[in-house]
Amino acid sequence: MSTTTTRRIVVAPQPPRRPETYLNVSRGLLSWLLTKDHKRIGLMFLVSVTVMFFIGGFAIAIARLNLLTPEGGLVEADTYNRLFTLHGVIMVFFFLVPVVPSALGNFVLPMMIGAKDLAFPRLNLLSWYLFTLGAMWTLYAMIGGGLDTGWTFYTPYSTQSSHYNVVPTMIGVVIAGFSSMLTGLNFVVTVHWLRAPGMTWFRLPIFVWTLYATSLIFLLAVPVLAMALLLVVVERVAQVGIFDPALGGDPLLFQHLFWFYSHPAVYIMILPGMGIVSEVIPCFARKRLFGYTFVAYSSLSIAAFGFLVWAHHMFVAGISLYSALVFSSLSFLVAVPSAIKVFNWTATLYRGSIVFETPMLFALGFVALFTVGGLTGLFLATLGIDMHVHDTYFVIAHFHFIMVGGMVMAYMAGLHYWWPKMTGRMYSQWWSRLSALIIFVGFFLTFLPQFVVGYNGMPRRYHRYVPEFQVWNVLSTAGASILSVGYVLPLCYLLWSLWYGRRAGPNPWHATGLEWQTPSPPPQDNFDVTPVVVRDPYEYHLEKAQNEV
């Protein structure tokens, strides 16, 4: 009798295979440094600008602490000048200008229009290298020797009087400017040529419209700033009379060139923030964006008006009365498209099913703070008031209400809105809501007192002040301390979420945008199949109607 034996093969259970995403498709440092994926480049920008944000913030924290006492005994006057200059240069050129277009825009723009990548991936990577080179060069110049001209580099101080690192700092800013121009060129070509089938111009999300308008400003205004800064370098190095009156130059020419860039640059900084808010409010109000066409056109209008109001920074610089009247009137006009946006966001909220998730809290904070900043801007557009408060803390408060209260709140709204898409992870709602509240309260406490001391005549950029202003400066410093806690908190809970946050799923906010129709985190090419767009971007009312049925 024969026996038959069978060999049984036991297969060990295999763990489920992780889906391939842009984060795990390749590994190693080189895979990041040589990547052409817009999403990875967006993340690299995000890390870079975050580092610059905390460096700039640390500099102004020391300067702010110095103002606790009228004598300003913490640092010497010369050190104080270099600290606020470091803060201004880093925050304006290396955080506020690139943070939304280069970080968030880079990540989501192709997905929002149904594209696999930007039009020029290699140029995109080059723009990050240029930004990093410019940032490192500028930091070396400003920390290695410092600069005391303020971020405006006004002549003849920058050409004649300052003996610090004027030339190296300007070269660093110019290098970073080329990064912005490449980003703008990439975005314009991408929006024109890589839209998915059915994605007509009036089906574009408002964030794309604002990035498009910002890119036009990048391409038209940044070369003017680069030219002005390089002319200062030529004057300092070759002693050619361009801006220095001692050499036969005209210092007002520099102010015209500088503000021809720098006033549109305000809209470079704020327009993408407006785009983020236009994405967040309809999503968390579960309602269609009110007046989509007006909001889209107002974005382009703001970009266009931005080129016509540069001399309202020069009412006391010696321009003629008639010029001042013209620029004053134009400055009032630019408030119209901005007001259209605020009106449309408010109308979108009206009778909406509002959910107070963290992105919505930041977006509502943006609307409140931007409105205060915009209204105080009308004061500065008025000739008489501008002459009274020129170069005082009133201007500082107005600028920060727009740029920090407005822009940074919008950036935080966008970061919290798209973070689940970037990482595939959710963050703590409790901590993030607390952070939004702390930032809002800390911001008001920091900058409202500056309106008061500015109106009463306290000049900006002074190391010491009269004792009557001390209580307002103590309040402002206390607010800055609270604000700094609010900014550090997101760094903690967002990093925590990378390891311990729950899985987000493809569309945790139930949003309607194309970027939410792909997995989180997205695959390398964004979409397995090129999407065909058949609906408008904010059709939340259809979902609401279905639920009611």
Side-chain angles (χ1 to χ4, degrees):
M1 185 177 176
S2 64
T3 59
T4 304
T5 59
T6 57
R7 301 180 62 187
R8 301 178 63 186
I9 301 175
V10 178
V11 179
Q14 298 292 320
R17 188 177 178 183
R18 294 177 61 188
E20 191 173 84
T21 71
Y22 78 99
L23 291 172
N24 62 17
V25 68
S26 57
R27 297 181 184 279
L29 183 61
L30 274 182
S31 73
W32 282 84
L33 294 178
L34 301 178
T35 184
K36 296 185 285 294
D37 187 331
H38 68 97
K39 298 180 288 298
R40 284 192 168 199
I41 296 171
L43 286 191
M44 293 195 297
F45 266 112
L46 185 64
V47 172
S48 305
V49 297
T50 302
V51 171
M52 300 305 281
F53 174 80
F54 281 103
I55 292 173
F58 181 71
I60 202 60
I62 299 174
R64 193 65 245 169
L65 285 172
N66 182 74
L67 295 176
L68 271 174
T69 59
E71 298 79 17
L74 183 62
V75 294
E76 297 293 328
D78 186 53
T79 306
Y80 181 83
N81 290 346
R82 284 184 282 172
L83 282 171
F84 74 68
T85 303
L86 173 66
H87 167 73
V89 170
I90 295 299
M91 284 301 198
V92 171
F93 298 110
F94 296 95
F95 176 73
L96 289 170
V97 167
V99 63
V100 172
S102 299
L104 299 183
N106 233 323
F107 193 94
V108 297
L109 184 139
M111 287 189 286
M112 292 181 98
I113 62 172
K116 292 182 177 179
D117 207 321
L118 290 173
F120 307 117
R122 288 182 175 83
L123 277 187
N124 197 23
L125 180 61
L126 177 62
S127 71
W128 180 76
Y129 276 107
L130 286 173
F131 175 82
T132 305
L133 176 63
M136 293 176 70
W137 183 270
T138 304
L139 280 178
Y140 164 76
M142 301 198 72
I143 296 175
L147 182 69
D148 58 354
T149 62
W151 74 277
T152 50
F153 306 115
Y154 270 8
T155 57
Y157 191 58
S158 60
T159 56
Q160 188 182 54
S161 304
S162 179
H163 300 292
Y164 291 104
N165 284 336
V166 176
V167 171
T169 303
M170 288 183 171
I171 290 175
V173 172
V174 170
I175 293 172
F178 278 98
S179 167
S180 298
M181 286 189 280
L182 293 183
T183 299
L185 176 67
N186 227 336
F187 283 3
V188 168
V189 176
T190 301
V191 173
H192 274 274
W193 291 105
L194 297 186
R195 302 194 309 274
M199 179 63 82
T200 61
W201 280 93
F202 288 99
R203 282 180 176 163
L204 286 175
I206 291 296
F207 186 53
V208 176
W209 274 101
T210 56
L211 287 177
Y212 183 81
T214 302
S215 301
L216 295 178
I217 303 175
F218 273 147
L219 293 173
L220 296 174
V222 173
V224 178
L225 175 71
M227 182 178 65
L229 297 184
L230 290 176
L231 286 175
V232 172
V233 172
V234 169
E235 183 164 299
R236 282 185 70 99
V237 173
Q239 292 297 298
V240 177
I242 303 170
F243 304 119
D244 188 349
L247 298 174
D250 181 0
L252 272 187
L253 174 61
F254 177 82
Q255 292 193 33
H256 280 292
L257 293 174
F258 180 83
W259 288 114
F260 185 80
Y261 160 79
S262 293
H263 195 82
V266 170
Y267 302 112
I268 287 175
M269 297 180 237
I270 200 66
L271 264 173
M274 293 172 165
I276 290 172
V277 173
S278 299
E279 299 300 316
V280 171
I281 286 182
C283 177
F284 294 101
R286 312 312 298 173
K287 198 175 165 201
R288 189 176 193 169
L289 180 67
F290 183 85
Y292 167 92
T293 308
F294 286 99
V295 179
Y297 278 129
S298 66
S299 302
L300 296 180
S301 303
I302 290 173
F305 275 119
F307 282 101
L308 304 176
V309 296
W310 77 90
H312 81 207
H313 297 272
M314 301 166 59
F315 287 157
V316 299
I319 63 174
S320 74
L321 177 61
Y322 298 110
S323 298
L325 285 172
V326 170
F327 280 106
S328 174
S329 304
L330 289 170
S331 301
F332 277 103
L333 284 180
V334 80
V336 175
S338 301
I340 288 173
K341 286 181 177 293
V342 175
F343 172 77
N344 282 278
W345 295 326
T346 309
T348 304
L349 290 169
Y350 177 66
R351 302 188 70 177
S353 303
I354 298 173
V355 181
F356 292 104
E357 298 283 1
T358 306
M360 185 64 158
L361 293 180
F362 279 113
L364 294 176
F366 167 92
V367 175
L369 299 179
F370 173 76
T371 302
V372 174
L375 289 174
T376 53
L378 297 179
F379 287 71
L380 295 173
T382 309
L383 287 176
I385 298 178
D386 183 79
M387 290 179 184
H388 174 67
V389 298
H390 186 81
D391 264 348
T392 69
Y393 266 86
F394 190 96
V395 179
I396 297 283
H398 158 71
F399 182 78
H400 282 79
F401 260 87
I402 296 288
M403 290 295 99
V404 181
M407 180 57 202
V408 177
M409 289 294 266
Y411 164 64
M412 297 296 277
L415 182 64
H416 286 79
Y417 183 57
W418 284 303
W419 183 262
K421 180 56 61 181
M422 292 176 176
T423 64
R425 299 282 185 169
M426 296 300 292
Y427 46 82
S428 164
Q429 284 295 313
W430 192 88
W431 282 107
S432 55
R433 286 171 177 155
L434 179 65
S435 168
L437 179 64
I438 289 175
I439 291 174
F440 191 76
V441 172
F443 183 87
F444 264 107
L445 189 56
T446 304
F447 292 102
L448 271 183
Q450 296 184 13
F451 276 126
V452 178
V453 294
Y455 182 78
N456 285 298
M458 180 172 169
R460 62 179 178 171
R461 298 176 176 172
Y462 272 41
H463 171 247
R464 305 173 64 178
Y465 56 89
V466 295
E468 287 81 358
F469 294 140
Q470 184 174 15
V471 64
W472 299 107
N473 278 286
V474 170
L475 284 174
S476 188
T477 303
S481 305
I482 296 171
L483 197 55
S484 62
V485 173
Y487 285 142
V488 170
L489 271 180
L491 188 66
C492 300
Y493 62 72
L494 289 178
L495 288 176
W496 182 89
S497 76
L498 292 177
W499 286 274
Y500 304 108
R502 65 178 171 83
R503 301 277 178 191
N507 191 359
W509 310 126
H510 305 289
T512 57
L514 270 186
E515 76 272 25
W516 298 105
Q517 310 308 315
T518 188
S520 303
Q524 187 177 23
D525 290 332
N526 297 338
F527 302 96
D528 293 331
V529 178
T530 301
V532 177
V533 181
V534 296
R535 298 200 311 189
D536 292 338
Y538 305 106
E539 295 197 335
Y540 292 101
H541 59 292
L542 297 180
E543 174 198 84
K544 188 176 180 181
Q546 286 176 348
N547 291 337
E548 288 173 353
V549 171

